Amino acid sequence: MLQGVRDNLKGTTVSIVIIVLFIVPMVIAGVGSSFLGSVAGTDAAEVDGRSVSFAELDREVYLQKQRMLSQQGVDPSADYLKDENLRGPVLERLTRKAAMLAAADHAGMGVDAATVNRVIATQPDFLTDERFDSQKFRSVLSRIGLTPANFKVSVAEDLMLNQINYGLEASSFVTQAEKAALISLVHEKRTFFTVDIPSEGLREQVTVSDADAQSYYDENQESYRKAEQVAVEYIELSLAKLAETMKVDEAQVKSQYEADVAKFDAAPEYTVAHLLIEDGDSSAAKLAEVQAKLAEGEDFAELVKQYSDDAGTRDLGGSLGVVLPGIYPVDFEMAVYSLDSGEISAPVTSDAGTHLIKVLDKHVPKPPAFADRKAEIKANLQRIQAEELYTANLESLDKLTFSAPDLSDAAATLGLTVAQSTLFSRTSGTGIAGNTDVRNAAFAPEVLQDGHNSRIVELANNRAVVLHVKQHEPEHIQAFDVVKASIVDKLTQQQVNEMLKSKADVFVETVKSGEAAEKLAESLGYAYSSFEGATRSDPVSDPATRSQAFAIAKTDSPVDLHVSITPTGVTRVIGVTSREPGKASEVGDDMVEGLSSQLARENSRYEGSSFEAGIVSSAKIVTR
């Protein structure tokens, strides 16, 4: 299987498919990077000779936290986001990856530089106006602590892992028996009926005495315990809101724009193709023949398809994409930089052989127009100004609230508004109280018991709050009179449910004895519905009932019955009278092929997980 994976690496078309499907979402996230050098004391783990450095682990923990924070409704102060709680799972993921990479190394797998170069140069996050932007490329990498050389290795590792995934998926197959069984199940038809037993008038037949309610309350008091709660007043200082008040004139924006333009990297970017002739007895003659045909005006791309020894780029006319600094040998890069668009180099030698390089496009980046940058520059200048004021206001906020009896003077001095929360507990709350640090501050002894203002609580996105307890409700068991109505309602519904179940049980037993379900339902005033030859996806009844009808085991009995409670609380008897397995002849070739592909994908996932588990279990993993 791994040999097949290695063979797939040689095919450019397959590689590109894998790049599009798998690697694009992973590049910017910084997945990989076990390339970091390690010395004694810098490794978090060692896996079959591959190291996972502490620097790599720290970066991956940071990236994992950022990915989680980007999800809506995530509390930045939640315990599961703390570094010490993320390190374990992240380290396990990195060691599993290292084990897979080590296995790939041992199997002789690899990814050529040209493929890696094409992947990097076509990533949307590195493009400006559909062209590779070297400044954006370096900027993105610097934000996640990578260099271009490091990143190249990271991409190569990810490509290699995804080749393994593709190899496993491509080798997965589905037997005819599996297809038949899946079609039989998925496209099965069932005839079933439903009988709804009405609850109208039953509540009126139930009486719950005060003694019954009191007895239930006495036996279940703990379920009526109400956690300690507080409501707070608070003032919030926000860098973003301060920035909105900062005044920045046109001249400042223009000056900053000109400074940015002065630093703009206008180095040309080259999109190239090459024709490779590997060293050998006939290489000189082959090179001379190619050069002669080029001199006669023959098309470079066609000559590549005919003569090039680079299987990875031959069918692409030799295209290597954009040349990135440090990706190719120095002589190769220097030859490129000496050419203009459309020109072809003299022969350039490297370890791979002799190259003829053609510049397909020479692009000189231009700085963005002032109009395109104006709004962003202004916002940045406003933020820079606001940062100084924010820091000063933080110090003032601390001094103004430290020994004050409340928050009013501090709010007036700093131009802030005193807001108020709803009641919240130590473990949950809404609004500002959804933050763990805010809740901890509110329940701190000096705030809750002594009545002082809280310390400054710094929140995400440069926000800070100080709070003061406005209302306090100690933990207590709610009085019987407060919860009596809910107890009576609960006990009433319990008795109604018992009555409905009894009615359903009688109905089921009567039908089992031979009575026709429809006739019996009509005599009892129950709602009866019948569904003939329905499939799992037919819009009949409701999804929950339909799912239950297909979950009932069909026996030799004329009818198989089940009592359920619908999501809306209706007591329903479901009866299945017949089952017809799905047939491929009734489904169509496209549907059969689709189901087969889906099953193959599921099989490959299981096989991939099993394969990975086997690699990891046999790997020598040492963590520190």
Side-chain angles (χ1 to χ4, degrees), residues 446-462:
E446 64 272 16
V447 177
L448 180 60
Q449 299 169 13
D450 301 337
H452 297 315
N453 294 325
S454 74
R455 57 177 175 79
I456 290 178
V457 181
E458 296 195 46
L459 309 178
N461 301 319
N462 290 297

Side-chain angles (χ1 to χ4, degrees), residues 58 126 172 264 338 492:
D58 289 341
F126 301 152
S172 182
F264 184 80
S338 68
T492 299

Side-chain angles (χ1 to χ4, degrees), residues 297 303 307 321 334 340 347 388 409 419 495 508 518 572 604-605:
L303 292 175
Y307 290 98
M334 295 306 296
D340 279 324
E388 297 180 7
D409 288 344
Q495 292 190 45
V508 167
E518 183 175 7
R572 175 170 291 169
S604 71
R605 289 192 184 98

Side-chain angles (χ1 to χ4, degrees), residues 289-509:
E289 184 177 344
V290 171
Q291 288 181 299
K293 291 189 175 184
L294 286 172
E296 294 171 1
E298 292 198 27
D299 183 66
F300 184 85
E302 291 301 320
L303 292 175
V304 167
K305 294 178 181 178
Q306 183 179 354
Y307 290 98
S308 181
D309 292 321
D310 182 359
T313 64
R314 186 188 300 132
D315 293 336
L316 299 174
S319 176
L320 295 173
V322 176
V323 173
L324 305 178
I327 294 292
Y328 295 102
V330 173
D331 290 345
F332 188 101
E333 290 187 6
M334 295 306 296
V336 170
Y337 298 152
S338 68
L339 301 173
D340 279 324
S341 182
E343 292 184 341
I344 299 172
S345 73
V348 178
T349 59
S350 73
D351 292 342
T354 301
H355 308 261
L356 293 176
I357 308 165
K358 180 177 182 178
V359 173
L360 303 177
D361 182 49
K362 179 180 179 181
H363 172 67
V364 180
K366 295 181 180 180
F370 176 67
D372 296 333
R373 289 278 295 144
K374 181 179 177 180
E376 183 179 352
I377 292 174
K378 181 179 179 181
N380 288 339
L381 292 176
Q382 286 179 308
R383 186 175 182 86
I384 291 171
Q385 291 184 25
E387 284 173 350
E388 297 180 7
L389 181 57
Y390 180 77
T391 301
N393 283 357
L394 270 180
E395 295 178 0
S396 298
L397 181 62
D398 189 33
K399 294 176 182 177
L400 290 168
T401 59
F402 178 69
S403 58
D406 55 34
L407 304 173
S408 56
D409 288 344
T413 302
L414 298 174
L416 303 174
T417 301
V418 178
Q420 184 165 330
S421 75
T422 57
L423 285 166
F424 59 89
S425 69
R426 294 177 184 269
T427 58
S428 65
T430 58
I432 195 73
N435 185 285
T436 303
D437 291 338
V438 169
R439 296 196 301 271
N440 290 341
F443 283 94
E446 64 272 16
V447 177
L448 180 60
Q449 299 169 13
D450 301 337
H452 297 315
N453 294 325
S454 74
R455 57 177 175 79
I456 290 178
V457 181
E458 296 195 46
L459 309 178
N461 301 319
N462 290 297
R463 296 162 53 223
V465 297
V466 175
L467 52 91
H468 186 94
V469 171
K470 182 71 174 177
Q471 181 183 352
H472 176 218
E473 289 189 0
E475 180 184 41
H476 63 283
I477 294 176
Q478 298 174 80
F480 173 69
D481 290 342
V482 174
V483 298
K484 178 182 177 182
S486 66
I487 292 175
V488 170
D489 183 72
K490 183 173 186 176
L491 294 178
T492 299
Q493 190 59 49
Q494 285 180 356
Q495 292 190 45
V496 168
N497 290 343
E498 291 173 1
M499 295 165 67
L500 288 169
K501 185 178 183 306
S502 178
K503 289 174 177 283
D505 290 343
V506 170
F507 184 91
V508 167
E509 291 303 317

Side-chain angles (χ1 to χ4, degrees), residues 102-384:
D105 288 340
H106 297 156
M109 292 181 63
V111 180
D112 63 278
T115 299
V116 174
N117 188 41
R118 285 198 301 274
V119 172
I120 295 174
T122 57
Q123 298 312 300
D125 296 273
F126 301 152
L127 302 182
T128 299
D129 296 331
E130 299 184 356
R131 288 181 177 274
F132 178 78
D133 186 330
S134 59
Q135 285 191 320
K136 181 182 287 187
F137 171 66
R138 288 192 291 270
S139 175
V140 170
L141 293 190
S142 66
R143 289 201 298 269
I144 59 176
L146 294 177
T147 67
N150 294 152
F151 187 63
K152 176 187 174 184
V153 178
S154 178
V155 172
E157 289 178 347
D158 290 329
L159 281 170
M160 193 152 56
L161 290 177
N162 283 298
Q163 287 285 3
I164 295 175
N165 291 338
Y166 179 80
L168 291 170
E169 182 175 337
S171 66
S172 182
F173 61 90
V174 178
T175 66
Q176 290 299 323
E178 288 176 316
K179 287 184 184 180
L182 183 61
I183 293 169
S184 172
L185 180 65
V186 172
H187 290 278
E188 175 187 358
K189 295 179 181 180
R190 290 197 173 195
T191 296
F192 65 95
F193 64 81
T194 62
V195 175
D196 291 348
I197 302 176
S199 61
E200 289 80 2
L202 295 184
R203 291 184 70 89
E204 289 73 19
Q205 300 177 29
V206 176
T207 299
V208 177
S209 67
D210 289 348
D212 289 338
Q214 182 69 55
S215 177
Y216 182 87
Y217 173 79
D218 292 341
E219 294 173 3
N220 298 276
Q221 284 194 24
E222 280 302 314
S223 63
Y224 296 102
R225 182 178 294 278
K226 195 169 186 178
E228 181 181 24
Q229 291 185 304
V230 296
V232 299
E233 292 180 332
Y234 65 94
I235 51 178
E236 178 179 337
L237 185 63
S238 165
L239 175 62
K241 291 181 180 179
L242 277 176
E244 293 173 358
T245 67
M246 297 294 102
K247 297 186 181 299
V248 175
D249 59 35
E250 185 89 0
Q252 289 175 285
V253 177
K254 187 71 173 177
S255 176
Q256 183 60 51
Y257 170 76
E258 291 172 351
D260 292 345
V261 169
K263 295 184 292 184
F264 184 80
D265 184 1
E269 294 171 355
Y270 296 83
T271 302
V272 304
H274 81 143
L275 187 156
L276 174 66
I277 298 176
E278 294 179 345
D279 295 336
D281 294 339
S282 61
S283 58
K286 187 176 181 181
L287 175 61
E289 184 177 344
V290 171
Q291 288 181 299
K293 291 189 175 184
L294 286 172
E296 294 171 1
E298 292 198 27
D299 183 66
F300 184 85
E302 291 301 320
L303 292 175
V304 167
K305 294 178 181 178
Q306 183 179 354
Y307 290 98
S308 181
D309 292 321
D310 182 359
T313 64
R314 186 188 300 132
D315 293 336
L316 299 174
S319 176
L320 295 173
V322 176
V323 173
L324 305 178
I327 294 292
Y328 295 102
V330 173
D331 290 345
F332 188 101
E333 290 187 6
M334 295 306 296
V336 170
Y337 298 152
S338 68
L339 301 173
D340 279 324
S341 182
E343 292 184 341
I344 299 172
S345 73
V348 178
T349 59
S350 73
D351 292 342
T354 301
H355 308 261
L356 293 176
I357 308 165
K358 180 177 182 178
V359 173
L360 303 177
D361 182 49
K362 179 180 179 181
H363 172 67
V364 180
K366 295 181 180 180
F370 176 67
D372 296 333
R373 289 278 295 144
K374 181 179 177 180
E376 183 179 352
I377 292 174
K378 181 179 179 181
N380 288 339
L381 292 176
Q382 286 179 308
R383 186 175 182 86
I384 291 171

